[in-house]
Amino acid sequence: MAKAFDRIPRRALARARLGALVAAALAPAVAMAQLAPDAAQAKAAETERQMTDDERFSMLVSLIGEVPSIGVPRDPRIPAEVDNMSAGYTPGIPRLGIPAFQSSDASMGVTNPGYRPDDKGATAFPALILAGSTFNPELSRLGGAAIGREARSRGFNIQLAGGINLQREVRNGRNYEYYSEDPWVSAVMASAAVGGIQGEGVISTLKHYTLNANETNRHWLDAIVDPAGHRESDLLAFQIAIEKSQPGSIMCGYNKINGDYACGNDLLLNKLLKDTWGYKGYVMSDWGATPAWDYALKGLDQESGIQLDVQQWGAEAFTDKLRKAYADGGFPKERLSDMVRRMLYAAYSVGIDKWGAAPEVDLAKHNAIALDMARQGIVLLKNDGVLPLAAGRKLKIAVIGGHAQEGIIAGTGSGAVKPVGGYAGVVKIGGAGIMGAGRNMHLFAPSPLAELEKAFPDATIDFDPGYTPAEAALTARRADIVVAFGIRVEGEGFDNVDLSLPWGQDAVIDAVAGANPNTIVVLETGNPASMPWRNKVKAILQAWYPGQAGARAIAEILAGKVNPSGRLPITFPESLEQTPRPELAGLGTPWGTPTTIRYDEGAEVGYRWYAQKDLKPMYPFGHGLGYTSFAYRGLKVEGGNTVTATFTVTNTGKRAGADVPQQYLVGAPDGKRMRLLGFERVELKPGESRKVTLTADPRLLAKFDAEANQWRIAGGSYRLALGKSAGDLQLSDAATLTGRLFGK
Ligand code: GLC
């Protein structure tokens, strides 16, 4: 790295930065010019041809900003004037109009784990698992656009968003950063967010390519999967999302897949992503995921956060070592040019070189988007008639536990966003490995207690911290209604050992439910929970990590001001015994232990697994209750190249609400399998009906034929079912398809 940066004279860098600042200030406030693919490719080639090798090599790496908590000081190669540091900095080439590439995390907002002490905070949007629960791609796009504006207003032209790994492992600490267990939901929701971000002139990633489904020993983890099943699950999510949103960059993950590290995986990077799918952008590594220079030959285009490679692997890869390989002839010029052209392609196709004036950031508007997401993504799992609570009644309400007097919790790791105004509180948790330092309980104001007091002005509300079951039971006994919070901090670098709530909360909830049957439980977790007290409580609300506006949404739903419409994007098992891996290999071994996890379920992830094994989960994929009711009628399925289903949804209840009818494949001529083929979120007034038409992406119907290296639809009858969830199928119909091989 020293050589690459040092060969661009510092005074040229200084002139460039000044020029860029002046240009940005004076440039007419016109929308940036985003070039169409061919034009972007042509311009990238034209620019790259004019570059020196030093300039080319300077683009192949990024530097992470100072992070004292993980022992990363400020790198002297980052110019002193760069005061908006974050995850990655790559100097630009001013003489060619190439801006510095500056990346920030992540999918739920602009993070700041300490890079910018004066940053007043960014909008902390809800967790992606909550976004997935909205089944509302337009809302996902709006959230992405807001994040893009907040990134751009800080000078970041890359947002490390688009977490799209499938939630195939219910212990995975990062599931809160992903949308769903299903590839279609993941692709539809992620591509909408990427489109929102890139529409603001900011490159977005999709990550972590691929099969980054656990955090246990992630840098030493080998994820084993059947290649055809991989194509029908995680890879299909990436493939469809790339087609729908053309992300400027794909981030490869830490783990191995079938023996080869993701960032050095020639089969998945060169042969599949770039050759077969024709991906034109660039592949960046995860931070500390580049152990060797020859990853440049295997499809990696940029080494990210190179200081972390020194920590992890003992050396930088794409600086001196790659230069030496270049000098020795091991790293050909045409590959060097290709790496740079891909980065420039991303820059020109998104328009980071043509920024006008910084966009206006309306934090009130962004908070409203975050509130809408929370309102639509909170899932009512159970309601024995106790909800909604009448806001006008003189109720005695006991609010128990969950730090509900302080705030709402969030997930941890690189995706953690410090909300506008900062945290209401931080409780250190800690743990092994590089992510242990950031593993804290972060609390966002306003608190659920404060919002409940606003929503129920005539009620008497007692708060009990849930410090002991006995004490909490005494508070519960005095109340008409109990709202008990169950929280679990989850995040990057850690997998949950089981599905229980920490800190003895299950015992507290059990005690309060025993003291008062009118108990409502509100969960703030990043994954399914085990809920041993489930049959003793009257209602359960899964609020996930609902973001900075989450407390208000919880209170509005409990008070009936909002009709809940969230649907589970992940299956809740009765126990880990129901899942493909009751025992998780490597769990509990010291951080750094080489670990192999076999994902033998292949494509049968989540609801697909439960259908294949005829298992009844605690709560199925797609499940969610509300304060009205819906009926489906008239399902008609037609065949052809794929299947098209039409049906009518009616709101048969007394209040407006939203439903998410789901179309499933439940019978095929070439073997038993269940696949979500489509969904649509429909908002209806009482008595109102809507006709819905869903046409399936044929790859969801097909099996991937590894021999032919193509998708295969077998000729015969395909049975479809229309459901309120994967476990509540209402109507069915069938269509006949002609067998064929197609696509890649
Ligand atoms: C992290 C994460 C990745 C993030 C990157 C930069 O370790 O795996 O999601 O974007 O490093 O912070």
Side-chain angles (χ1 to χ4, degrees):
M1 184 63 165
K3 284 195 175 55
F5 273 121
D6 287 357
R7 292 188 185 168
I8 300 178
R10 301 183 69 78
R11 57 191 173 289
L13 279 176
R15 259 201 318 276
R17 264 188 307 287
L18 182 63
L21 288 174
V22 169
L26 298 179
V30 292
M32 55 271 139
Q34 299 192 337
L35 295 187
D38 292 349
Q41 266 191 318
K43 184 171 181 181
E46 176 49 36
T47 305
E48 187 274 330
R49 266 192 288 276
Q50 302 169 57
M51 291 166 78
T52 66
D53 278 352
D54 284 349
E55 290 169 334
R56 293 186 177 96
F57 273 96
S58 75
M59 292 189 72
L60 303 188
V61 298
S62 74
L63 286 159
I64 190 171
E66 179 180 7
V67 191
S69 63
I70 58 170
V72 177
R74 181 162 176 122
D75 192 294
R77 295 169 288 190
I78 300 172
E81 311 81 275
V82 176
D83 59 2
N84 62 332
M85 264 319 292
S86 189
Y89 173 83
T90 300
I93 302 169
R95 72 180 186 85
L96 297 173
I98 301 169
F101 279 46
Q102 289 196 260
S103 66
S104 166
D105 281 305
S107 301
M108 293 150 290
V110 178
T111 64
N112 183 18
Y115 302 121
R116 303 179 302 283
D118 302 335
D119 192 318
K120 297 287 176 284
T123 304
F125 288 92
L128 286 199
I129 195 167
L130 182 144
S133 304
T134 69
F135 284 77
N136 185 341
E138 175 53 20
L139 205 44
S140 187
R141 188 193 64 76
L142 289 174
I147 292 169
R149 283 194 293 276
E150 293 190 25
R152 190 169 151 186
S153 69
R154 292 169 168 81
F156 301 131
N157 47 30
I158 301 163
Q159 189 69 11
L160 305 169
I164 193 175
N165 293 101
L166 300 191
Q167 299 154 344
R168 60 172 64 228
E169 236 301 328
V170 290
R171 302 174 188 83
N172 180 19
R174 291 192 85 171
N175 277 345
Y176 86 96
E177 289 188 75
Y178 306 142
Y179 290 96
S180 176
E181 68 187 23
D182 176 76
W184 178 251
V185 172
S186 301
V188 168
M189 299 302 289
S191 56
V194 168
I197 292 169
Q198 299 198 146
E200 297 298 325
V202 175
I203 291 168
S204 179
T205 52
L206 278 175
K207 68 183 186 182
H208 308 87
Y209 188 80
T210 173
L211 213 49
N212 185 183
N214 277 103
E215 290 299 293
T216 298
N217 293 317
R218 61 185 184 168
H219 292 76
W220 303 271
L221 167 60
D222 192 358
I224 305 296
V225 70
D226 160 55
H230 193 190
R231 286 299 303 270
E232 294 173 28
S233 53
D234 286 67
L235 288 175
L236 185 55
F238 273 99
Q239 184 177 14
I240 294 173
I242 289 168
E243 290 167 0
K244 286 180 176 290
S245 62
Q246 297 86 39
S249 183
I250 299 292
M251 185 193 296
C252 46
Y254 289 120
N255 54 287
K256 294 177 183 175
I257 300 101
N258 295 334
D260 288 323
Y261 272 113
C263 294
N265 200 305
D266 177 65
L267 186 66
L268 294 174
L269 294 177
N270 282 331
K271 295 190 172 48
L272 182 61
L273 177 66
K274 294 180 177 180
D275 296 350
T276 301
W277 293 348
Y279 180 64
K280 298 184 180 65
Y282 71 103
V283 176
M284 66 164 76
S285 73
D286 202 336
W287 269 239
T290 311
W293 69 263
D294 68 346
Y295 281 30
L297 304 178
K298 296 175 179 172
L300 182 63
D301 298 307
Q302 191 187 50
E303 177 187 9
S304 306
I306 58 174
Q307 305 100 306
L308 299 190
D309 280 317
V310 176
Q311 278 191 0
Q312 183 70 34
W313 309 105
E316 299 170 359
F318 283 11
T319 51
D320 298 350
K321 289 177 182 291
L322 192 60
R323 297 282 315 228
K324 183 175 182 313
Y326 185 62
D328 295 347
F331 170 52
K333 170 72 177 352
E334 51 275 3
R335 176 59 185 131
L336 171 60
S337 296
D338 175 49
M339 292 160 83
V340 171
R341 290 183 188 195
R342 286 177 173 275
M343 292 187 68
L344 293 175
Y345 172 83
Y348 298 144
S349 58
V350 174
I352 69 169
D353 63 319
K354 289 276 184 268
W355 275 8
E360 180 229 352
V361 171
D362 180 341
L363 289 177
K365 185 178 153 203
H366 293 180
N367 188 63
I369 295 168
L371 176 59
D372 258 357
M373 270 185 177
R375 285 168 167 167
Q376 295 186 26
I378 289 172
V379 185
L380 181 56
L381 296 176
K382 174 180 182 182
N383 183 18
D384 287 356
V386 69
L387 290 178
L389 301 172
R393 275 176 52 197
K394 286 192 176 312
L395 284 170
K396 279 189 284 184
I397 301 175
V399 175
I400 311 271
H403 288 262
Q405 84 280 29
E406 279 187 281
I408 284 284
I409 71 165
T412 66
S414 60
V417 180
K418 184 171 79 171
V420 176
Y423 294 120
V426 179
V427 177
K428 288 207 75 58
I429 295 173
I434 191 171
M435 301 313 291
R439 191 189 189 199
N440 308 317
M441 177 165 65
H442 293 113
L443 290 149
F444 297 171
S447 71
L449 180 61
E451 289 300 317
L452 286 167
E453 285 165 348
K454 273 198 258 179
F456 296 92
D458 302 326
T460 305
I461 299 182
D462 284 341
F463 175 72
D464 179 292
Y467 187 55
T468 70
E471 182 184 306
L474 293 177
T475 308
R477 191 163 293 124
R478 296 198 305 267
D480 301 320
I481 293 283
V482 178
V483 180
F485 284 80
I487 64 175
R488 184 173 68 206
V489 175
E490 303 174 48
E492 183 176 350
F494 301 90
D495 287 331
N496 300 325
V497 175
D498 57 32
L499 300 175
S500 65
L501 295 177
W503 300 323
Q505 294 177 91
D506 283 324
V508 169
I509 294 171
D510 188 68
V512 301
N516 189 326
N518 290 324
T519 292
I520 298 154
V521 173
V522 179
L523 295 172
E524 294 171 32
T525 64
N527 262 305
S530 44
M531 303 190 234
W533 31 262
R534 187 168 93 252
N535 297 326
K536 295 171 81 170
V537 303
K538 287 271 178 63
I540 304 169
L541 207 56
Q542 173 58 270
W544 307 117
Y545 301 138
Q548 65 181 41
R552 179 172 162 188
I554 290 169
E556 289 174 337
I557 287 171
L558 294 179
K561 288 181 186 159
V562 166
N563 185 353
S565 57
R567 298 289 186 271
L568 289 180
I570 184 173
T571 304
F572 276 48
E574 281 289 2
S575 74
L576 288 171
E577 299 314 309
Q578 285 192 324
T579 69
R581 267 168 307 287
E583 302 299 323
L584 183 66
L587 204 56
T589 59
W591 182 253
T593 305
T595 298
T596 296
I597 298 183
R598 299 192 58 83
Y599 297 102
D600 289 336
E601 71 277 15
E604 307 315 311
V605 179
Y607 66 88
R608 299 173 169 192
W609 168 262
Y610 290 84
Q612 191 180 63
K613 300 294 182 187
D614 293 322
L615 293 170
K616 186 175 182 325
M618 179 199 295
Y619 294 112
F621 172 90
H623 170 71
L625 305 176
Y627 299 149
T628 186
S629 54
F630 296 92
Y632 305 154
R633 67 177 193 277
L635 175 65
K636 187 87 193 76
V637 176
E638 283 169 19
N641 257 352
T642 180
V643 291
T644 297
T646 54
F647 55 89
T648 300
V649 189
T650 302
N651 180 343
T652 52
K654 294 186 173 48
R655 63 175 289 177
D659 186 34
V660 183
Q662 302 140 42
Q663 191 66 65
Y664 292 95
L665 171 70
V666 292
D670 55 342
K672 175 183 178 184
R673 61 182 180 277
M674 187 174 196
R675 296 283 188 268
L676 177 74
L677 300 178
F679 65 86
E680 183 160 324
R681 189 181 189 279
V682 288
E683 296 187 5
L684 296 171
K685 297 186 184 64
E688 187 183 5
S689 294
R690 176 87 46 77
K691 185 173 180 183
V692 177
T693 299
L694 297 172
T695 297
D697 182 310
R699 290 167 290 193
L700 294 169
L701 293 165
K703 298 284 289 172
F704 189 77
D705 183 327
E707 287 301 302
N709 193 27
Q710 284 191 287
W711 295 93
R712 179 184 297 279
I713 284 186
S717 173
Y718 285 75
R719 174 151 295 280
L720 272 61
L722 180 62
K724 291 176 183 263
S725 75
D728 182 1
L729 304 180
Q730 301 272 316
L731 303 171
S732 85
D733 193 12
T736 300
L737 297 182
T738 308
R740 63 194 177 99
L741 274 172
F742 67 98
K744 288 279 185 188

